[in-house]
Every structure is written in C-alpha cells, then in structure tokens.
Amino acid sequence: GLFSLSCFLALNEQSFPGFAERMLGKEQMEAMQDSFTEADFHSDSYARSLDQNMTMVAFYIQHNTGIGLQCFSMGPLIIPGLYMTAFNGSVLGASFGYMARGDTPGGNNFLEFVTAHGAFELTAIALAAAAGLRIGMGWLVTGGLTRLASLQRRAVEAVPVMAVSGVLFFLAALTEGLLSPTSVPYLFKAMWGVFASTLLVYYFVVLGYPTEPSRAT
C-alpha cells in the first residue's frame, strides 16, 4: 500500500510538487537518471560479458538479501520493523513513480530493467519483513502460552517464510543479473514478469488456500 501510494505521489508532480525530492534526495535522483540514461540495453556498446553478469548476480544477492535481513531483524522489535518496511516501501515507490514520469531521463530504460525481476524482489522483501514481525507479535499475542514459548512457536513459523524469501531473492538476482540488463526484446521481459507474478499468485492463493478448517490449539 505504501509502495503504491508513494509511487502515485511521485508520479504526479503537478499535484504533489517536490514529493519525489523529499523522499529520494537530489543526489539519488540524479544518480538514477545518469545510470539509466547510459543503460541503453539494446546498444552493442552496453553489452556485458557472462562474467560481468555473474558478478552482478552475486552483488544483487548480497545487496538485496541485506535489505531483507534488515527488515527481518527489526521485525521482532515491531516498531522499528514497521518503520524499516514502511521506509523501504516508500522509497522504492517514489523511485518507480519518479522514473515513470514521461520527462525523466532514462525512465524507459529503468522501467524495462525492473519489469522482469520486480515481482520476485519486492515480494521477497515483504516476506522477510513479515517473518520478523510474526516473531515480534509472539511476545504481544501469546495465545495463552508463556512469552518465551510463544516467541519460540512464532520463530518456528517464521522459518519457512524466510526460506521462501531467500528463494525469491535468489530468483530475483538471477533475473536481474542475467535477463534485465540484456538486449532481449522487452516483450520477453514483460512475459517473464507476468510469469513471475502468476507463479507467486499460484503459490500464495492456490497452494496457500486452507483445505481444512483451522483448529484452536
């Protein structure tokens, strides 16, 4: 929700002047412009070797997983976890909204770059934050257990959530390093983004739908 709201506010500069600058800062805005103005994925001069792409895959795994771990580690404290998640969602939304303006230099390249891997990456961050917050709720809502037992139970429940988050971070890094910056036609990148979103919907809605009524424990 914050991501979408921030994206909308940054996109509509006339209605909400200066929002993107307050969220991102001029330096970050200029850095994104410069980076994606130069990133002409369909130019032979921009072509990267497989070694370079694999190096970037490793960087994305380290960098994006680091963001996820920050959100997760703050979750048990609840308020810092909510703040970290809200901050990341708002900044990412403002970045998308600002770059999606028709007059932003490099905007089209940015949108082409994020199309394929965005669903995996953003969902992974949200899951990491949710796993941490689930642990944090363990010492607030105990369900009749001692606080220690409740924390232990919530921690066990958070493990598979973090496991899925890790898988999504890995898939996002592979896509971001090997597909997003290439000269592959945009249609293929868009179809991969649709496939990723469909896969996530299937996992959470179809496979995650309860088949038996929950039982009180």
Side-chain angles (χ1 to χ4, degrees):
L2 286 175
F3 174 90
S4 300
L5 176 61
S6 184
C7 182
F8 174 78
L9 296 178
L11 178 64
N12 293 275
E13 172 65 11
Q14 292 184 348
S15 301
F16 307 97
F19 176 80
E21 289 187 5
R22 290 193 296 271
M23 288 299 302
L24 303 173
K26 289 186 177 180
E27 291 186 0
Q28 183 173 343
M29 293 167 66
E30 292 174 357
M32 288 193 300
Q33 289 181 29
D34 294 341
S35 175
F36 286 99
T37 299
E38 299 172 358
D40 186 355
F41 305 124
H42 301 283
S43 172
D44 292 337
S45 61
Y46 188 78
R48 298 191 314 203
S49 67
L50 180 60
D51 289 343
Q52 290 176 310
N53 284 340
M54 292 306 298
T55 299
M56 292 309 299
V57 168
F59 168 77
Y60 293 136
I61 291 175
Q62 182 271 330
H63 179 264
N64 296 337
T65 304
I67 295 176
L69 288 175
Q70 285 181 348
C71 294
F72 172 74
S73 63
M74 294 292 186
L77 302 177
I78 306 218
I79 299 300
L82 289 172
Y83 171 80
M84 180 65 68
T85 306
F87 175 79
N88 278 291
S90 299
V91 169
L92 286 170
S95 299
F96 274 68
Y98 173 67
M99 296 301 288
R101 294 178 189 170
D103 59 348
T104 302
N108 290 334
N109 290 336
F110 171 83
L111 294 176
E112 177 174 346
F113 178 74
V114 301
T115 295
H117 68 267
F120 283 144
E121 184 176 318
L122 297 178
T123 305
I125 294 174
L127 285 178
L133 289 170
R134 170 169 285 191
I135 295 176
M137 291 300 296
W139 58 270
L140 288 181
V141 182
T142 63
L145 302 173
T146 64
R147 297 199 186 278
L148 179 59
S150 178
L151 280 173
Q152 291 173 336
R153 179 177 179 179
R154 296 303 181 188
V156 171
E157 293 174 351
V159 169
V161 181
M162 279 302 294
V164 173
S165 178
V167 171
L168 294 182
F169 273 125
F170 180 72
L171 292 175
L174 286 178
T175 305
E176 190 172 2
L178 301 178
L179 177 60
S180 296
T182 66
S183 59
V184 171
Y186 179 71
L187 178 61
F188 182 83
K189 296 179 182 180
M191 292 304 296
W192 182 262
V194 171
F195 167 75
S197 300
T198 303
L199 186 65
L200 292 171
V201 170
Y202 178 77
Y203 177 78
F204 287 111
V205 177
V206 178
L207 296 184
Y209 192 83
T211 56
E212 296 180 1
S214 58
R215 298 177 180 177
T217 56

